[in-house]
Amino acid sequence: MEEVRVFCPATIANISCGFDVLGLALDSVGDEMVVRKTIKKGVFITKIDGQNLPLQTEKNAAGVAGLALLEKSNYPGGFEIEIYKKIKPGSGIGSSAASSAGAVWAMDYLLGHPFTKTELVTFAMEGERLASEVAHADNVAPALFGDFTLVRSYTPLDIVPIKAPEELYATIIHPQIEVKTSDSRKILKTTLSMETAIKQWGNVGGLIAGLLQNDYELIGRSLEDHIVEPIRSILIPGFDKVKKASLEAGALGAGISGSGPSIFALCRGRDNAENVARTMKEVYVNIGVEHDIHVSKINHEGVRLV
Amino acid sequence: MEEVRVFCPATIANISCGFDVLGLALDSVGDEMVVRKTIKKGVFITKIDGQNLPLQTEKNAAGVAGLALLEKSNYPGGFEIEIYKKIKPGSGIGSSAASSAGAVWAMDYLLGHPFTKTELVTFAMEGERLASEVAHADNVAPALFGDFTLVRSYTPLDIVPIKAPEELYATIIHPQIEVKTSDSRKILKTTLSMETAIKQWGNVGGLIAGLLQNDYELIGRSLEDHIVEPIRSILIPGFDKVKKASLEAGALGAGISGSGPSIFALCRGRDNAENVARTMKEVYVNIGVEHDIHVSKINHEGVRLV
């Protein structure tokens, strides 16, 4: 095999109570990427379609992630990458993670799977370091494993895959505004009260139990965030209205995707997710916010061949 | 049915990362209690065997919990209670919770189950309020539900039962020293860093996933507490040595039971739990600390008929 074409899923990180630890992969929202072996050593981005992103390897998340893999491999050649970008950078659904995860998954595939998934996560994290200055795993882990993932620990890296119930869908609305990642980080507090922290880990436990036991109501009750959402939502136009409308339309829960500005809702079944999408859209039409909207099943495998 | 005899399990609360939310019930450590109907309205403690505890209803955890149930019931009579106390008060394995939970479970049984288990938890919490000034649920919930329980929320009360893997055992060592609950509470900090809190909820998620997926290694890796254990362990003689010895003897993890002074270890299989017990004992024999030791399977049903 000399060339593969892969689907690289968009992802939702910071799922409500699971700030910095819980993410999920989407099934029908994502980029495509063609990766082919080259005789020349190195990683070469030969084409980026759909977005204006740097072609230089060292300035591109896929390039940097690929170089990290190549460095740990005994493969004497290199790779060419074409990126067909559909996820908008800065939307909060893991644009750089899709590129990073897709690149390393495809390279590992072409080399005959020399690496574990967790090793692929560590390579893809280098792409995240380039994109956001922090080598975080909460988008690249679900992009590579599929379903939900829990980043239990970074030292050592411990990724816990959590299977999503079959009927779980996500609805995402992306308001076309720019929130600087540095602003959404600066606005966060660095300490919190024990009381609030206890609520948060009660909800993390509830969410994991709900997912693993197919208990949709428990998933819904656990989608609470007493720490980050009250602060970051200030930067997202109409957040409270969109969330309220989603819940009234039957969503299990809703929150900020990644560091925003996208807002996600989790729903039981496609019909409900579509219904929630219509309601979210209505809110943004009424207050005059340009937006994209996505409805997707949860992805059960992560990056995959097209 | 006019009278029942029940087994009231000891419980471990504050399981490592699950401070204030996660507890478990023991299978072979606990009190017994006889509860019988009376024509006279009220709750009457007629006998306490094994410990010197108050017989006055309003000063006894079982009495207060029973009164809370009676108040919500339309039963015109009352109950007599005999308590055969085997759990030492102040040992940190839910002595008052066993009495409170046993009393309300037996009364509900004698009345033909008018209440849900969560309602029984709310009654038993009144016994905890008497015993420790805080109406906490993290011992009475596992005492009533069995297995592990997660107190996801207090407002409203939301108890999530978490089934324990079949081969999971607990070893508990109780150093015969007094730690005042008020001291073990005062010593805690009221704020913490986001960084530490994130580690803690990553571990809570990992522990729940490990329990529900029978992944003993993940259970072990998740039994970390970066917040409470480093502080409260100061009050427990030889804590670090006992913990280290347990892990070296193959325990999955170890920590403080409740607010101490008991130390628990979770183990895979009875043989390992017995082995860990011997190692723990050796530490206390060497440093000259009087102690009790218990080995128990995890209890899958909570309070039960004898």
Short mmCIF file of all heavy atoms in Angstrom, two decimals, chain A residues 9-73:
data_model
loop_
_atom_site.label_atom_id
_atom_site.label_comp_id
_atom_site.label_asym_id
_atom_site.label_seq_id
_atom_site.Cartn_x
_atom_site.Cartn_y
_atom_site.Cartn_z
N PRO A 9 -12.16 12.69 11.86
CA PRO A 9 -13.36 13.24 12.50
C PRO A 9 -13.14 14.52 13.29
O PRO A 9 -12.09 14.71 13.92
CB PRO A 9 -13.81 12.12 13.45
CG PRO A 9 -12.58 11.36 13.75
CD PRO A 9 -11.73 11.43 12.51
N ALA A 10 -14.14 15.38 13.24
CA ALA A 10 -14.21 16.48 14.20
C ALA A 10 -14.49 15.90 15.57
O ALA A 10 -15.00 14.78 15.69
CB ALA A 10 -15.32 17.44 13.80
N THR A 11 -14.13 16.63 16.61
CA THR A 11 -14.27 16.13 17.98
C THR A 11 -14.78 17.23 18.90
O THR A 11 -14.59 18.41 18.64
CB THR A 11 -12.89 15.64 18.51
OG1 THR A 11 -11.89 16.60 18.15
CG2 THR A 11 -12.50 14.30 17.90
N ILE A 12 -15.44 16.80 19.97
CA ILE A 12 -15.89 17.74 21.01
C ILE A 12 -15.05 17.44 22.25
O ILE A 12 -15.09 16.31 22.76
CB ILE A 12 -17.38 17.55 21.33
CG1 ILE A 12 -18.23 17.79 20.07
CG2 ILE A 12 -17.81 18.48 22.46
CD1 ILE A 12 -19.71 17.52 20.27
N ALA A 13 -14.31 18.44 22.73
CA ALA A 13 -13.53 18.24 23.96
C ALA A 13 -14.20 19.03 25.09
O ALA A 13 -15.16 19.77 24.85
CB ALA A 13 -12.11 18.73 23.76
N ASN A 14 -13.67 18.87 26.29
CA ASN A 14 -14.21 19.59 27.46
C ASN A 14 -15.71 19.37 27.61
O ASN A 14 -16.47 20.31 27.84
CB ASN A 14 -13.95 21.09 27.33
CG ASN A 14 -12.48 21.43 27.36
OD1 ASN A 14 -11.67 20.69 27.88
ND2 ASN A 14 -12.14 22.57 26.78
N ILE A 15 -16.15 18.10 27.49
CA ILE A 15 -17.58 17.83 27.56
C ILE A 15 -18.12 18.16 28.96
O ILE A 15 -17.98 17.38 29.90
CB ILE A 15 -17.88 16.36 27.21
CG1 ILE A 15 -17.34 16.07 25.80
CG2 ILE A 15 -19.36 16.06 27.28
CD1 ILE A 15 -17.42 14.62 25.41
N SER A 16 -18.73 19.31 29.09
CA SER A 16 -19.35 19.79 30.34
C SER A 16 -18.45 19.52 31.55
O SER A 16 -17.37 20.11 31.63
CB SER A 16 -20.74 19.16 30.52
OG SER A 16 -21.58 19.61 29.49
N CYS A 17 -18.89 18.64 32.46
CA CYS A 17 -18.13 18.34 33.67
C CYS A 17 -16.72 17.81 33.37
O CYS A 17 -15.84 17.91 34.22
CB CYS A 17 -18.89 17.32 34.51
SG CYS A 17 -19.41 15.86 33.55
N GLY A 18 -16.50 17.30 32.16
CA GLY A 18 -15.22 16.63 31.87
C GLY A 18 -14.15 17.56 31.34
O GLY A 18 -13.37 17.16 30.48
N PHE A 19 -14.09 18.77 31.86
CA PHE A 19 -13.09 19.75 31.41
C PHE A 19 -11.68 19.14 31.43
O PHE A 19 -11.25 18.60 32.43
CB PHE A 19 -13.13 20.99 32.31
CG PHE A 19 -12.11 22.03 31.94
CD1 PHE A 19 -12.21 22.74 30.75
CD2 PHE A 19 -11.01 22.28 32.76
CE1 PHE A 19 -11.26 23.69 30.39
CE2 PHE A 19 -10.06 23.22 32.42
CZ PHE A 19 -10.17 23.92 31.23
N ASP A 20 -11.02 19.24 30.27
CA ASP A 20 -9.64 18.78 30.11
C ASP A 20 -9.46 17.27 30.09
O ASP A 20 -8.34 16.80 29.92
CB ASP A 20 -8.73 19.35 31.22
CG ASP A 20 -7.79 20.42 30.66
OD1 ASP A 20 -8.05 20.93 29.56
OD2 ASP A 20 -6.81 20.75 31.34
N VAL A 21 -10.52 16.51 30.28
CA VAL A 21 -10.35 15.05 30.32
C VAL A 21 -11.27 14.27 29.38
O VAL A 21 -10.90 13.20 28.91
CB VAL A 21 -10.49 14.46 31.76
CG1 VAL A 21 -9.48 15.08 32.72
CG2 VAL A 21 -11.90 14.60 32.31
N LEU A 22 -12.46 14.80 29.07
CA LEU A 22 -13.42 14.02 28.30
C LEU A 22 -13.66 14.61 26.91
O LEU A 22 -13.97 15.80 26.78
CB LEU A 22 -14.76 13.96 29.02
CG LEU A 22 -15.04 12.75 29.90
CD1 LEU A 22 -16.38 12.93 30.59
CD2 LEU A 22 -15.00 11.45 29.13
N GLY A 23 -13.55 13.77 25.88
CA GLY A 23 -13.85 14.18 24.52
C GLY A 23 -14.62 13.10 23.79
O GLY A 23 -14.71 11.97 24.26
N LEU A 24 -15.19 13.47 22.64
CA LEU A 24 -15.89 12.48 21.81
C LEU A 24 -15.63 12.78 20.35
O LEU A 24 -15.29 13.91 19.97
CB LEU A 24 -17.39 12.47 22.11
CG LEU A 24 -18.23 13.70 21.74
CD1 LEU A 24 -18.65 13.69 20.26
CD2 LEU A 24 -19.49 13.72 22.59
N ALA A 25 -15.80 11.76 19.51
CA ALA A 25 -15.57 11.92 18.08
C ALA A 25 -16.91 11.91 17.33
O ALA A 25 -17.82 11.16 17.68
CB ALA A 25 -14.69 10.80 17.57
N LEU A 26 -16.99 12.75 16.29
CA LEU A 26 -18.20 12.83 15.46
C LEU A 26 -18.05 11.90 14.26
O LEU A 26 -16.95 11.60 13.81
CB LEU A 26 -18.43 14.26 15.00
CG LEU A 26 -18.67 15.26 16.15
CD1 LEU A 26 -18.74 16.68 15.61
CD2 LEU A 26 -19.96 14.92 16.90
N ASP A 27 -19.21 11.47 13.73
CA ASP A 27 -19.17 10.45 12.69
C ASP A 27 -19.28 11.03 11.28
O ASP A 27 -18.78 10.45 10.33
CB ASP A 27 -20.32 9.47 12.92
CG ASP A 27 -20.11 8.18 12.17
OD1 ASP A 27 -19.02 7.60 12.34
OD2 ASP A 27 -20.99 7.78 11.39
N SER A 28 -19.95 12.16 11.14
CA SER A 28 -20.21 12.66 9.79
C SER A 28 -19.72 14.09 9.61
O SER A 28 -20.09 14.76 8.65
CB SER A 28 -21.70 12.55 9.47
OG SER A 28 -22.45 13.25 10.45
N VAL A 29 -18.91 14.57 10.53
CA VAL A 29 -18.30 15.89 10.39
C VAL A 29 -16.79 15.67 10.47
O VAL A 29 -16.32 15.07 11.43
CB VAL A 29 -18.74 16.85 11.52
CG1 VAL A 29 -18.22 18.26 11.26
CG2 VAL A 29 -20.24 16.83 11.71
N GLY A 30 -16.06 16.13 9.49
CA GLY A 30 -14.61 15.93 9.55
C GLY A 30 -13.94 16.26 8.23
O GLY A 30 -14.61 16.62 7.26
N ASP A 31 -12.61 16.17 8.24
CA ASP A 31 -11.81 16.43 7.03
C ASP A 31 -11.56 15.12 6.30
O ASP A 31 -11.82 14.04 6.82
CB ASP A 31 -10.43 17.00 7.41
CG ASP A 31 -10.54 18.31 8.16
OD1 ASP A 31 -11.58 18.99 8.04
OD2 ASP A 31 -9.56 18.65 8.87
N GLU A 32 -11.00 15.24 5.09
CA GLU A 32 -10.40 14.09 4.44
C GLU A 32 -8.93 14.41 4.18
O GLU A 32 -8.53 15.59 4.16
CB GLU A 32 -11.13 13.73 3.15
CG GLU A 32 -12.50 13.15 3.46
CD GLU A 32 -13.17 12.46 2.27
OE1 GLU A 32 -12.50 12.28 1.23
OE2 GLU A 32 -14.35 12.10 2.41
N MET A 33 -8.15 13.39 3.99
CA MET A 33 -6.72 13.56 3.84
C MET A 33 -6.20 12.42 2.98
O MET A 33 -6.64 11.29 3.13
CB MET A 33 -6.13 13.45 5.25
CG MET A 33 -4.81 14.09 5.47
SD MET A 33 -4.43 13.87 7.23
CE MET A 33 -4.38 15.53 7.79
N VAL A 34 -5.29 12.75 2.06
CA VAL A 34 -4.61 11.69 1.31
C VAL A 34 -3.15 11.68 1.77
O VAL A 34 -2.51 12.73 1.82
CB VAL A 34 -4.69 11.94 -0.21
CG1 VAL A 34 -3.84 10.91 -0.97
CG2 VAL A 34 -6.14 11.89 -0.67
N VAL A 35 -2.68 10.52 2.15
CA VAL A 35 -1.29 10.40 2.59
C VAL A 35 -0.61 9.34 1.73
O VAL A 35 -1.17 8.25 1.52
CB VAL A 35 -1.21 10.01 4.08
CG1 VAL A 35 0.25 9.85 4.53
CG2 VAL A 35 -1.91 11.06 4.94
N ARG A 36 0.55 9.68 1.17
CA ARG A 36 1.26 8.69 0.34
C ARG A 36 2.74 8.64 0.71
O ARG A 36 3.32 9.64 1.15
CB ARG A 36 1.02 8.95 -1.14
CG ARG A 36 1.77 10.06 -1.82
CD ARG A 36 1.45 10.13 -3.32
NE ARG A 36 0.02 10.39 -3.55
CZ ARG A 36 -0.51 11.64 -3.60
NH1 ARG A 36 0.24 12.71 -3.45
NH2 ARG A 36 -1.80 11.80 -3.78
N LYS A 37 3.30 7.46 0.56
CA LYS A 37 4.72 7.26 0.85
C LYS A 37 5.58 7.97 -0.19
O LYS A 37 5.22 8.01 -1.37
CB LYS A 37 5.06 5.78 0.83
CG LYS A 37 4.61 5.01 2.05
CD LYS A 37 5.01 3.55 1.87
CE LYS A 37 4.87 2.73 3.13
NZ LYS A 37 5.16 1.31 2.85
N THR A 38 6.71 8.48 0.25
CA THR A 38 7.69 9.06 -0.68
C THR A 38 9.04 8.41 -0.40
O THR A 38 9.29 7.93 0.71
CB THR A 38 7.85 10.58 -0.48
OG1 THR A 38 8.25 10.83 0.87
CG2 THR A 38 6.54 11.32 -0.76
N ILE A 39 9.90 8.42 -1.40
CA ILE A 39 11.24 7.88 -1.19
C ILE A 39 12.06 8.86 -0.36
O ILE A 39 12.81 8.48 0.54
CB ILE A 39 11.93 7.58 -2.54
CG1 ILE A 39 11.20 6.39 -3.18
CG2 ILE A 39 13.41 7.26 -2.37
CD1 ILE A 39 11.52 6.17 -4.65
N LYS A 40 11.81 10.14 -0.62
CA LYS A 40 12.53 11.19 0.10
C LYS A 40 12.07 11.22 1.57
O LYS A 40 10.87 11.16 1.86
CB LYS A 40 12.21 12.54 -0.56
CG LYS A 40 13.17 13.64 -0.18
CD LYS A 40 12.89 14.91 -0.97
CE LYS A 40 13.61 16.07 -0.36
NZ LYS A 40 13.07 17.37 -0.84
N LYS A 41 13.01 11.30 2.49
CA LYS A 41 12.67 11.35 3.90
C LYS A 41 12.04 12.71 4.24
O LYS A 41 12.44 13.74 3.68
CB LYS A 41 13.92 11.14 4.76
CG LYS A 41 13.59 10.76 6.21
CD LYS A 41 14.75 10.17 6.97
CE LYS A 41 14.36 9.82 8.39
NZ LYS A 41 13.54 8.60 8.45
N GLY A 42 11.06 12.72 5.12
CA GLY A 42 10.44 13.98 5.52
C GLY A 42 8.93 13.92 5.37
O GLY A 42 8.37 12.89 4.95
N VAL A 43 8.26 15.00 5.77
CA VAL A 43 6.82 15.10 5.62
C VAL A 43 6.55 16.33 4.76
O VAL A 43 7.06 17.42 5.06
CB VAL A 43 6.12 15.22 7.00
CG1 VAL A 43 4.62 15.43 6.83
CG2 VAL A 43 6.39 13.99 7.85
N PHE A 44 5.78 16.14 3.71
CA PHE A 44 5.58 17.22 2.73
C PHE A 44 4.08 17.47 2.53
O PHE A 44 3.35 16.57 2.12
CB PHE A 44 6.24 16.84 1.40
CG PHE A 44 7.64 16.32 1.59
CD1 PHE A 44 7.90 14.96 1.64
CD2 PHE A 44 8.71 17.21 1.78
CE1 PHE A 44 9.18 14.47 1.87
CE2 PHE A 44 9.99 16.73 2.00
CZ PHE A 44 10.24 15.35 2.04
N ILE A 45 3.63 18.67 2.89
CA ILE A 45 2.22 19.02 2.67
C ILE A 45 2.14 19.55 1.24
O ILE A 45 2.67 20.62 0.94
CB ILE A 45 1.73 20.11 3.65
CG1 ILE A 45 2.25 19.89 5.09
CG2 ILE A 45 0.22 20.25 3.61
CD1 ILE A 45 1.57 18.86 5.89
N THR A 46 1.49 18.80 0.38
CA THR A 46 1.50 19.19 -1.04
C THR A 46 0.25 19.94 -1.45
O THR A 46 0.22 20.58 -2.50
CB THR A 46 1.66 17.94 -1.94
OG1 THR A 46 0.65 17.00 -1.58
CG2 THR A 46 3.03 17.31 -1.74
N LYS A 47 -0.80 19.88 -0.64
CA LYS A 47 -2.05 20.53 -1.02
C LYS A 47 -2.92 20.75 0.21
O LYS A 47 -3.04 19.84 1.05
CB LYS A 47 -2.79 19.62 -2.01
CG LYS A 47 -4.09 20.18 -2.56
CD LYS A 47 -4.70 19.21 -3.57
CE LYS A 47 -6.04 19.73 -4.06
NZ LYS A 47 -6.68 18.79 -4.99
N ILE A 48 -3.52 21.95 0.32
CA ILE A 48 -4.55 22.16 1.36
C ILE A 48 -5.75 22.77 0.66
O ILE A 48 -5.66 23.85 0.09
CB ILE A 48 -4.06 23.07 2.49
CG1 ILE A 48 -2.83 22.47 3.18
CG2 ILE A 48 -5.18 23.27 3.51
CD1 ILE A 48 -2.24 23.34 4.29
N ASP A 49 -6.83 22.06 0.68
CA ASP A 49 -8.04 22.48 -0.01
C ASP A 49 -9.07 22.93 1.02
O ASP A 49 -9.26 22.27 2.04
CB ASP A 49 -8.58 21.27 -0.79
CG ASP A 49 -9.82 21.60 -1.59
OD1 ASP A 49 -9.67 21.99 -2.76
OD2 ASP A 49 -10.93 21.48 -1.02
N GLY A 50 -9.68 24.09 0.80
CA GLY A 50 -10.81 24.49 1.65
C GLY A 50 -10.48 25.52 2.72
O GLY A 50 -11.37 26.21 3.22
N GLN A 51 -9.23 25.62 3.11
CA GLN A 51 -8.84 26.61 4.12
C GLN A 51 -7.46 27.14 3.79
O GLN A 51 -6.66 26.45 3.15
CB GLN A 51 -8.81 26.01 5.53
CG GLN A 51 -10.15 25.62 6.09
CD GLN A 51 -11.05 26.81 6.41
OE1 GLN A 51 -10.56 27.89 6.72
NE2 GLN A 51 -12.36 26.60 6.32
N ASN A 52 -7.20 28.34 4.24
CA ASN A 52 -5.91 28.96 4.00
C ASN A 52 -4.98 28.66 5.18
O ASN A 52 -4.92 29.41 6.15
CB ASN A 52 -6.12 30.47 3.83
CG ASN A 52 -4.84 31.17 3.43
OD1 ASN A 52 -3.90 30.51 2.96
ND2 ASN A 52 -4.79 32.47 3.62
N LEU A 53 -4.28 27.53 5.10
CA LEU A 53 -3.40 27.12 6.20
C LEU A 53 -1.98 26.93 5.66
O LEU A 53 -1.81 26.67 4.48
CB LEU A 53 -3.91 25.80 6.81
CG LEU A 53 -5.21 25.90 7.60
CD1 LEU A 53 -5.78 24.52 7.87
CD2 LEU A 53 -4.99 26.63 8.93
N PRO A 54 -0.96 27.06 6.50
CA PRO A 54 0.42 26.98 6.02
C PRO A 54 0.79 25.61 5.46
O PRO A 54 0.47 24.59 6.05
CB PRO A 54 1.26 27.31 7.26
CG PRO A 54 0.35 27.17 8.42
CD PRO A 54 -1.03 27.38 7.94
N LEU A 55 1.51 25.62 4.35
CA LEU A 55 1.98 24.38 3.72
C LEU A 55 3.32 23.92 4.32
O LEU A 55 3.69 22.76 4.19
CB LEU A 55 2.16 24.59 2.21
CG LEU A 55 0.87 24.59 1.36
CD1 LEU A 55 1.10 25.23 0.01
CD2 LEU A 55 0.33 23.17 1.21
N GLN A 56 4.04 24.85 4.96
CA GLN A 56 5.33 24.45 5.53
C GLN A 56 5.10 23.41 6.63
O GLN A 56 4.31 23.63 7.55
CB GLN A 56 6.07 25.64 6.18
CG GLN A 56 6.41 26.75 5.22
CD GLN A 56 5.44 27.91 5.38
OE1 GLN A 56 4.23 27.76 5.14
NE2 GLN A 56 5.96 29.06 5.80
N THR A 57 5.84 22.33 6.55
CA THR A 57 5.67 21.20 7.47
C THR A 57 5.70 21.65 8.93
O THR A 57 4.84 21.28 9.73
CB THR A 57 6.78 20.16 7.23
OG1 THR A 57 6.72 19.80 5.85
CG2 THR A 57 6.58 18.93 8.07
N GLU A 58 6.69 22.47 9.27
CA GLU A 58 6.89 22.85 10.67
C GLU A 58 5.83 23.81 11.19
O GLU A 58 5.75 24.06 12.39
CB GLU A 58 8.28 23.48 10.88
CG GLU A 58 9.45 22.54 10.67
CD GLU A 58 9.73 22.27 9.19
OE1 GLU A 58 9.13 22.98 8.33
OE2 GLU A 58 10.48 21.33 8.89
N LYS A 59 5.03 24.36 10.28
CA LYS A 59 3.98 25.30 10.71
C LYS A 59 2.59 24.70 10.57
O LYS A 59 1.58 25.38 10.77
CB LYS A 59 4.07 26.58 9.88
CG LYS A 59 5.34 27.37 10.16
CD LYS A 59 5.31 28.72 9.53
CE LYS A 59 6.57 29.51 9.91
NZ LYS A 59 6.69 30.75 9.15
N ASN A 60 2.55 23.41 10.21
CA ASN A 60 1.26 22.75 9.98
C ASN A 60 1.09 21.61 11.01
O ASN A 60 2.01 20.81 11.19
CB ASN A 60 1.24 22.21 8.54
CG ASN A 60 -0.09 21.57 8.19
OD1 ASN A 60 -0.46 20.56 8.78
ND2 ASN A 60 -0.79 22.18 7.25
N ALA A 61 -0.07 21.55 11.65
CA ALA A 61 -0.30 20.55 12.70
C ALA A 61 -0.07 19.14 12.18
O ALA A 61 0.60 18.32 12.84
CB ALA A 61 -1.71 20.70 13.27
N ALA A 62 -0.59 18.83 10.98
CA ALA A 62 -0.41 17.49 10.41
C ALA A 62 1.08 17.23 10.16
O ALA A 62 1.57 16.12 10.39
CB ALA A 62 -1.19 17.37 9.10
N GLY A 63 1.78 18.28 9.69
CA GLY A 63 3.21 18.14 9.42
C GLY A 63 4.00 17.84 10.67
O GLY A 63 4.81 16.89 10.72
N VAL A 64 3.75 18.60 11.70
CA VAL A 64 4.48 18.43 12.97
C VAL A 64 4.18 17.08 13.61
O VAL A 64 5.08 16.38 14.10
CB VAL A 64 4.14 19.59 13.93
CG1 VAL A 64 4.65 19.31 15.32
CG2 VAL A 64 4.71 20.90 13.39
N ALA A 65 2.90 16.68 13.57
CA ALA A 65 2.53 15.37 14.13
C ALA A 65 3.23 14.27 13.33
O ALA A 65 3.77 13.31 13.90
CB ALA A 65 1.01 15.20 14.09
N GLY A 66 3.24 14.42 12.01
CA GLY A 66 3.89 13.43 11.14
C GLY A 66 5.37 13.32 11.42
O GLY A 66 5.92 12.21 11.49
N LEU A 67 6.01 14.46 11.60
CA LEU A 67 7.45 14.44 11.92
C LEU A 67 7.72 13.71 13.24
O LEU A 67 8.70 12.98 13.36
CB LEU A 67 8.00 15.88 12.00
CG LEU A 67 8.16 16.63 10.67
CD1 LEU A 67 8.61 18.08 10.93
CD2 LEU A 67 9.16 15.92 9.74
N ALA A 68 6.83 13.92 14.22
CA ALA A 68 7.00 13.25 15.51
C ALA A 68 6.95 11.73 15.33
O ALA A 68 7.72 10.99 15.96
CB ALA A 68 5.92 13.71 16.49
N LEU A 69 6.05 11.27 14.47
CA LEU A 69 5.96 9.83 14.20
C LEU A 69 7.21 9.34 13.46
O LEU A 69 7.80 8.32 13.84
CB LEU A 69 4.70 9.53 13.38
CG LEU A 69 4.49 8.06 12.96
CD1 LEU A 69 3.01 7.69 13.01
CD2 LEU A 69 5.07 7.76 11.59
N LEU A 70 7.59 10.09 12.46
CA LEU A 70 8.73 9.68 11.63
C LEU A 70 10.00 9.52 12.47
O LEU A 70 10.81 8.61 12.25
CB LEU A 70 8.94 10.74 10.53
CG LEU A 70 9.51 10.24 9.19
CD1 LEU A 70 8.71 9.08 8.63
CD2 LEU A 70 9.52 11.40 8.18
N GLU A 71 10.13 10.40 13.43
CA GLU A 71 11.30 10.39 14.29
C GLU A 71 11.41 9.09 15.11
O GLU A 71 12.51 8.65 15.44
CB GLU A 71 11.18 11.58 15.25
CG GLU A 71 12.47 12.04 15.85
CD GLU A 71 12.23 13.32 16.65
OE1 GLU A 71 12.05 14.39 16.03
OE2 GLU A 71 12.19 13.21 17.89
N LYS A 72 10.25 8.51 15.45
CA LYS A 72 10.25 7.28 16.26
C LYS A 72 10.18 6.01 15.38
O LYS A 72 10.07 4.90 15.90
CB LYS A 72 9.03 7.28 17.20
CG LYS A 72 9.06 8.36 18.25
CD LYS A 72 10.08 8.05 19.34
CE LYS A 72 10.08 9.16 20.38
NZ LYS A 72 11.16 9.00 21.35
N SER A 73 10.22 6.22 14.08
CA SER A 73 10.05 5.08 13.18
C SER A 73 11.40 4.75 12.53
O SER A 73 12.27 5.61 12.41
CB SER A 73 9.03 5.48 12.11
OG SER A 73 9.21 4.74 10.92
#
